[in-house]
Structures are given as structure tokens and as C-alpha cells.
Amino acid sequence: EVHLVESGGVVVQPGGSLRLSCAASGFIFDDYTIHWVRQGLGKGLEWVSLINWDGTRTYYGDSVKGRFTISRDNSKNSLYLQMNRLRTEDTAIYYCVKSSTAYNDGSLHYWGQGTLVTVSS
Amino acid sequence: SYVLTQPPSVSVAPGQTARIPCGGNNIESKSVHWYQQRPGQAPVLVVYDDTDRPSGIPERFSGSKSVNRATLTISRVEAGDEADYYCQVWDGGSDCVKFGGGTKLTVL
């Protein structure tokens, strides 16, 4: 059974930094593209970033480009999101999501339960 | 950039059919995926690649596409189908994932 468990969400001040982690199990981790998707309170889904199976290609949403960095460690079945220069509008639940394929246009097949990031002074 | 448009809400009586549209320019050339999100829960994939259902998703859920529109159809609607529904595509022109704004399905 596929499991994705996010961690690292805390309260952080504007301008601060944070690193989220996602521990994956139940599938061959390095066969798949993995995404981060976030959702503000009472808002819709917003795609944040994706990383391909071997970490050589990364893509970002416009609102986080230049501030966030996605990475993965296939030896540890883990995904990361380094978040810098945080803004109040980054406050959201962050989901780690396994793609259905190794490609960018696959569906977002399995979702973790999310970790809450709150940016507030 | 590519935009997916969904109505904010759709209402339907139990046992009837709900149709949730997702509008997008030339959407027929893209693979469309649909997600259900019940209150307080993570999203769940209910339709992928326009028309396919993941294992465990009831046959009552189906997807279709026409010119500039994709549709999620839920037949014989039940109270447990009440949720937010999102369509999603990969925008190859901008190298990014796009979600529709979401539609809240209310079962009357």
C-alpha cells in the first residue's frame, strides 16, 4: 500500500525558511515523478512543484519560483521542499503527491495527509 | 497561461446525475484528471486520462471531453458524494500543473 507522510510544518515568521520532508513507502520510489501541492484555508488546490524520477528535472509554480527548491533522495525514499523568503500567502497545507507515471503529465495518483505551514509574525 | 474554469457549485438531488464541467482552451488535446476532496481530507483521484477510473472508484464516476470542455459525471448521486471536485491538466506550454478552481457538489 502506498504511504506518503509529510513532516516539518510549523509556524514561521515572514522572511523565514523551512524545510518540509515526505517519507514514501509501498512503491518503487525512483520510478515516479513526485509533486508538492498546497491548499490555503478554504481555498482551492495550488500546484507548487514537481521533480522527475532521478531528480534531474524540476519545475515550479510562478508564485514560488526562485524561493522554493524541491529535491529527493532516492536512497532514503524521501522528498523535500526547501522554502525560503516565506510570505504570509504561503500559509497552507502542503501535500506530497505521487504521480501515476515517471512523466510530467501523469495524474496525481496518491496524496499524503499534508503538513500545515503557517507564516505569521 | 492556461486556465481551467469550473462553476463554484453544483447541486443535485440524491439518485440523480451530477455533471461538473471544466472549461479550457483546446482541452481536448490534453489529458484531464479529476479529484474528489471531502471536507477535512486529502484529495482523491477519481478519474484519470479523461475517462479511466482508478481501482476502488465506483463506476458511477465517469469522465468525458468535447471541444474546449471536460465533464465529470456522477450517476445515482449519494450523500457521500458531497465534496469539492477539481479538474487538472499538465500545461506543456508553461511546464506546470494547472487545477481548476474547484466545484462544490451539494446533495440536496
Side-chain angles (χ1 to χ4, degrees):
Chain A
E1 186 179 358
V2 173
H3 280 289
L4 299 160
V5 180
E6 303 92 338
S7 61
V10 292
V11 179
V12 61
Q13 290 190 339
S17 297
L18 195 59
R19 188 197 200 203
L20 304 184
S21 300
C22 172
S25 61
F27 64 101
I28 301 172
F29 186 68
D30 54 8
D31 273 358
Y32 294 92
T33 289
I34 310 289
H35 300 252
W36 287 101
V37 175
R38 70 185 183 183
Q39 186 172 34
L41 185 63
K43 298 186 179 179
L45 301 174
E46 181 186 9
W47 178 74
V48 174
S49 181
L50 77 79
I51 187 166
N52 76 326
W53 67 276
D54 64 356
T56 58
R57 283 178 290 167
T58 59
Y59 302 87
Y60 298 91
D62 287 342
S63 61
V64 307
K65 204 172 293 185
R67 299 188 299 123
F68 290 10
T69 303
I70 191 172
S71 61
R72 65 191 295 164
D73 185 339
N74 287 347
S75 69
K76 296 181 179 179
N77 285 2
S78 293
L79 176 76
Y80 307 101
L81 185 68
Q82 178 66 42
M83 308 164 67
N84 297 332
R85 290 184 281 140
L86 283 160
R87 306 167 180 167
T88 55
E89 54 264 36
D90 295 320
T91 295
I93 296 172
Y94 285 74
Y95 294 102
C96 170
V97 190
K98 171 190 170 293
S99 175
S100 59
T101 73
Y103 305 106
N104 296 345
D105 63 350
S107 60
L108 280 61
H109 199 173
Y110 288 98
W111 297 63
Q113 286 305 303
T115 187
L116 176 62
V117 173
T118 302
V119 184
S120 173
S121 55
Chain B
S1 77
Y2 195 79
V3 176
L4 293 171
T5 302
Q6 297 183 240
S9 62
V10 166
S11 299
V12 64
Q16 299 303 302
T17 297
R19 294 178 179 85
I20 299 173
C22 172
N25 185 44
N26 199 31
I27 198 171
E28 57 271 23
S29 69
K30 303 179 185 300
S31 291
V32 181
H33 317 296
W34 291 90
Y35 305 89
Q36 175 194 67
Q37 187 178 32
R38 294 188 173 106
Q41 298 186 17
V44 172
L45 178 68
V46 293
V47 168
Y48 67 98
D49 292 348
D50 305 330
T51 60
D52 294 336
R53 275 186 316 277
S55 61
I57 300 300
E59 291 183 7
R60 301 185 298 105
F61 289 81
S62 63
S64 62
K65 274 194 325 192
S66 60
V67 175
N68 292 334
R69 174 180 283 210
T71 302
L72 175 69
T73 300
I74 309 171
S75 304
R76 302 181 299 284
V77 166
E78 304 172 356
D81 298 331
E82 193 161 277
D84 293 325
Y85 291 86
Y86 296 89
C87 57
Q88 176 255 312
V89 301
W90 169 255
D91 178 13
S94 301
D95 282 338
C96 63
V97 168
K98 291 291 187 180
F99 286 101
T103 297
K104 180 177 179 58
L105 176 66
T106 299
V107 181
L108 300 171

